[in-house]
Amino acid sequence: SDRRKNIDLLIGLIEAAKHRLFQLREQLANMKNAATAILEIKEYVSATAVKMGYYVDVAVREPVRNIGLVEEKDVWAHFSKDVTAEQCSAPFKHQLSDFHQYCTGPAMMAFEKIKHIVDLTPLCKLGEESKIATEVDEAVQTRIGLLTYDLQDTQSWLDPFR
């Protein structure tokens, strides 16, 4: 009877071990299936990334390069960091001076003659000449700064790792 108990106990342990072995085999099969599924997902993600890279090349990088904005281009080489030192600044200031002189001289005298019909004098109420020149230089310099910033930002899209 003791022997029978031991045999029954041993058979029970063997059955439990078989059941546990079956569970472990099932888990191992599930893990192998999961590993296969992960590899397939990686393939799909990789293929999608390649297609996205190709799309960005066609839709973004090529058009940017076609307008001449390549990776090596120094955007500031085409713009001045100090617009007041540029050749075009002096003629503008000369024209501004001429306009100021005309507006405060001959134009104002002509406007006074027809003031009783129509008052054109507000057309020549200008600010100080040097202030206008400074404001124009500042506005041009600001626009250059914004433009070069935008061009450099656009140029950064040429980096394939962006």
Side-chain angles (χ1 to χ4, degrees), residues 49-61:
V50 168
K51 288 177 184 176
M52 288 171 60
Y54 178 70
Y55 175 76
V56 170
D57 274 344
V58 170
V60 177
R61 292 186 187 110

Side-chain angles (χ1 to χ4, degrees), residues 2-14:
D2 244 358
R3 197 169 173 204
R4 186 72 190 148
K5 258 179 153 176
N6 285 341
I7 290 175
D8 286 343
L9 181 62
L10 189 56
I11 290 174
L13 288 173
I14 291 172

Side-chain angles (χ1 to χ4, degrees), residues 100-112:
H100 234 272
Q101 289 174 7
Y102 181 77
C103 220
T104 56
M108 199 54 81
M109 289 188 298
F111 291 166
E112 287 298 328

Side-chain angles (χ1 to χ4, degrees), residues 74-93:
D74 176 17
V75 174
W76 276 105
H78 300 281
F79 298 97
S80 176
K81 291 189 180 191
D82 181 18
V83 74
T84 59
E86 285 300 307
Q87 182 180 1
C88 61
S89 182
F92 168 76
K93 289 175 183 166

Side-chain angles (χ1 to χ4, degrees), residues 4-74:
R4 186 72 190 148
K5 258 179 153 176
N6 285 341
I7 290 175
D8 286 343
L9 181 62
L10 189 56
I11 290 174
L13 288 173
I14 291 172
E15 287 299 319
K18 280 183 180 178
H19 181 67
R20 182 68 183 141
L21 183 60
F22 175 76
Q23 287 177 331
L24 290 173
R25 282 185 178 157
E26 193 174 300
Q27 285 179 355
L28 182 60
N30 288 342
M31 289 173 63
K32 285 181 180 178
N33 289 340
T36 302
I38 287 172
L39 288 175
E40 287 177 11
I41 290 171
K42 283 182 180 180
E43 287 175 13
Y44 292 134
V45 168
S46 179
T48 302
V50 168
K51 288 177 184 176
M52 288 171 60
Y54 178 70
Y55 175 76
V56 170
D57 274 344
V58 170
V60 177
R61 292 186 187 110
E62 277 307 309
V64 170
R65 286 184 186 113
N66 287 342
I67 63 169
L69 191 59
V70 294
E71 293 91 329
E72 302 84 24
K73 177 81 67 185
D74 176 17

